[in-house]
């Protein structure tokens, strides 16, 4: 059986859909599963050993330059690659008009996706010949699993299995002799941010427990924020954003490291090396849970129940829409996770 999964963006959404692969293979051992994802996030399904091929799309980039010849050439190349294989099933887990368009463009015998009442953009449901009624009350991971299960007619049994594998990540600035905590204080909107003084308290708590802090960032503003937070947590800071010399001149009392800007695959390697991860509602925080790392999710302006961080390891999420998580809740969760997994001798 050949199956194409369409889940293009965003990063967290692609993470949430990964258990579909394990479910499909449990129902149809030996199935060949391909995946369509936005190019910046294509490395996520590529980490899944059950995915045979990832077909990158750059719609977010193309839509701004549709009249340029290079864009049209890239779109033709994508269409050619997408249509090179005929699939038995094309499963759209996204339920948007843009993902439905890709679902129709691909060659296949059957197309499945959420129903009119279940899709984020109801018009998308017109692209499918098998439509799944998926309750909005379900966790986002369960919604993805239910769409594929409805298409192929199998029950959704057992916990979600993400199955992602990340190569060992060994940059010169990552000291693997010390336990690592990864902190992710950046977000796409100001409403999602957690007060800086609370991040500083959590950072100091982790330092007191003997962990080195790695501050993940993705923009210039976030780079400034993590530098400020790292300095406020006490001890020296290894600023790997300044190049090799900064790493060679590492302070003897370094308690924090500022990584350089990391592509998704390298950031996944950093997260996978962490003993604990504390992060806002971002794709990397959800990826940490999927990689089985003890993860605390902080939600300041999004649903912390249906979109709660989940994975093979201990995960806890706090807050919600208009609900800024109390410092005590996050600190207690971090302490619980560290106490449950004492450092190895």
């Amino acid at each position: 059986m050949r199956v194409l999964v369409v889940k293009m963006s965003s990063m967290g959404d692609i993470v949430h859909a990964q258990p579909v692969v394990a479910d499909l293979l449990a129902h149809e051992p030996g199935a060949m599963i391909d995946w369509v994802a936005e190019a910046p996030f294509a490395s996520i399904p590529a980490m899944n050993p059950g995915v045979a091929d990832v077909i990158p799309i750059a719609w977010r980039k193309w839509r701004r330059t549709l009249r340029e010849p290079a864009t049209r050439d890239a779109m033709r190349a994508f269409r050619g690659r997408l249509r090179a294989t005929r699939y038995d099933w094309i499963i759209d887990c996204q339920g948007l008009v843009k993902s439905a368009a890709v679902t129709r463009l691909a060659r296949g015998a059957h197309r499945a996706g959420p129903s009119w009442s279940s899709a984020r953009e109801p018009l998308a449901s017109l692209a499918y010949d098998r439509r799944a009624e998926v309750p909005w009350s379900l966790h986002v991971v369960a919604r993805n699993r239910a769409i594929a299960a409805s298409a192929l007619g199998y029950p959704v049994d057992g916990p979600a299995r993400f199955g992602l594998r990340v190569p060992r990540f060994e940059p010169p600035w990552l000291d693997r002799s010390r336990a690592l905590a990864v902190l992710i204080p950046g977000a796409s909107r100001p409403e999602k941010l957690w007060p800086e003084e609370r991040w500083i308290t959590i950072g100091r708590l982790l330092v007191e427990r003997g962990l080195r802090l790695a501050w993940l960032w993705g923009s210039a503003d976030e780079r400034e924020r993590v530098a400020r937070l790292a300095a406020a947590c006490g001890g020296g800071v290894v600023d790997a954003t300044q190049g090799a010399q900064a790493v060679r001149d590492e302070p003897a009392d370094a308690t924090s490291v500022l990584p350089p800007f990391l592509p998704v695959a390298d950031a996944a390697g950093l997260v996978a090396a962490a003993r604990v991860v504390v992060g806002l509602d971002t794709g990397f925080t959800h990826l940490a849970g999927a990689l089985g790392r003890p993860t605390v999710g902080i939600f300041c302006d999004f649903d912390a129940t249906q979109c709660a961080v989940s994975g093979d390891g201990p995960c806890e999420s706090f807050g919600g829409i208009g609900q800024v998580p109390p410092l005590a809740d996050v600190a207690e969760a971090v302490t619980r996770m560290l106490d449950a997994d004492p450092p190895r001798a």
Side-chain angles (χ1 to χ4, degrees):
M1 178 180 287
R2 298 298 302 253
V3 179
L4 178 68
V5 178
V6 180
K7 189 74 164 185
M8 296 152 51
S9 61
S10 58
M11 180 177 170
D13 293 336
I14 295 173
V15 171
H16 294 148
Q18 292 308 304
V20 167
V21 175
D23 290 350
L24 288 170
L25 291 174
H27 171 72
E28 189 73 28
M32 298 294 291
I33 302 170
D34 295 343
W35 197 292
V36 177
E38 280 280 349
F41 312 129
S43 57
I44 296 173
M47 297 175 197
N48 194 323
V51 173
D53 189 23
V54 180
I55 304 173
I57 184 172
W59 176 245
R60 290 182 170 184
K61 176 183 177 182
W62 295 340
R63 66 186 181 186
R64 298 192 296 268
T65 58
L66 289 175
R67 295 184 178 181
E68 294 185 5
T71 297
R72 295 180 181 179
D73 289 344
M75 292 176 70
R76 279 192 291 269
F78 167 74
R79 182 181 185 275
R81 184 171 176 186
L82 181 68
R83 293 182 60 80
T85 300
R86 179 174 174 81
Y87 296 96
D88 298 289
W89 280 95
I90 304 167
I91 302 174
D92 180 4
C93 291
Q94 198 151 10
L96 299 178
V97 170
K98 66 178 182 180
S99 60
V102 171
T103 300
R104 293 302 307 180
L105 183 62
R107 294 195 304 130
H110 303 287
R111 295 170 175 84
S115 68
W116 181 276
S117 61
S118 304
R120 288 165 59 187
E121 295 180 357
L123 282 174
S125 66
L126 301 180
Y128 322 128
D129 51 70
R130 181 70 60 85
R131 302 176 180 92
E133 294 286 346
V134 184
W136 285 100
S137 58
L138 290 178
H139 187 278
V140 287
V141 172
R143 284 179 56 82
N144 286 297
R145 299 178 72 191
I147 291 169
S150 174
L152 273 70
Y154 59 81
V156 178
D157 293 328
R161 293 163 293 167
F162 290 85
L164 303 182
R165 296 179 185 174
V166 181
R168 188 174 176 85
F169 185 56
E170 295 184 315
W173 47 264
L174 181 59
D175 182 359
R176 281 188 171 269
S177 68
R178 298 178 60 178
L180 182 73
V182 172
L183 294 94
I184 311 171
S188 57
R189 294 184 285 109
E191 296 83 3
K192 285 188 172 187
L193 297 178
W194 203 43
E196 290 194 7
E197 63 272 14
R198 300 186 188 183
W199 280 110
I200 294 168
T201 300
I202 294 299
R204 290 174 176 173
L205 167 64
L206 291 164
V207 170
E208 290 172 1
R209 295 293 297 257
L211 281 75
R212 172 175 281 193
L213 313 178
W215 300 84
L216 200 58
W217 59 277
S219 69
D221 287 344
E222 291 178 12
R223 164 68 179 80
E224 292 180 7
R225 183 180 300 117
V226 297
R228 187 165 58 245
L229 294 172
C233 287
V237 178
V238 180
D239 190 351
T241 68
Q242 299 301 312
Q245 187 61 46
V247 176
R248 288 193 292 269
D249 295 339
E250 175 179 328
D253 64 342
T255 57
S256 286
V257 58
L258 304 186
F261 177 80
L262 298 175
V264 171
D266 288 347
L270 176 65
V271 166
R275 187 172 164 211
V276 66
V277 177
V278 184
L280 295 182
D281 171 32
T282 70
F284 286 116
T285 303
H286 290 284
L287 180 58
L291 291 172
R293 306 320 306 141
T295 304
V296 179
I298 299 172
F299 291 70
C300 296
D301 195 47
F302 208 71
D303 190 328
T305 301
Q306 288 175 282
C307 297
V309 179
S310 63
D312 296 332
C315 297
E316 297 190 45
S317 297
F318 300 95
I321 299 174
Q323 301 176 21
V324 179
L327 171 62
D329 290 351
V330 176
E332 288 170 5
V334 170
T335 300
R336 279 195 299 272
M337 291 181 184
L338 293 177
D339 289 345
D341 181 28
R344 276 69 170 173

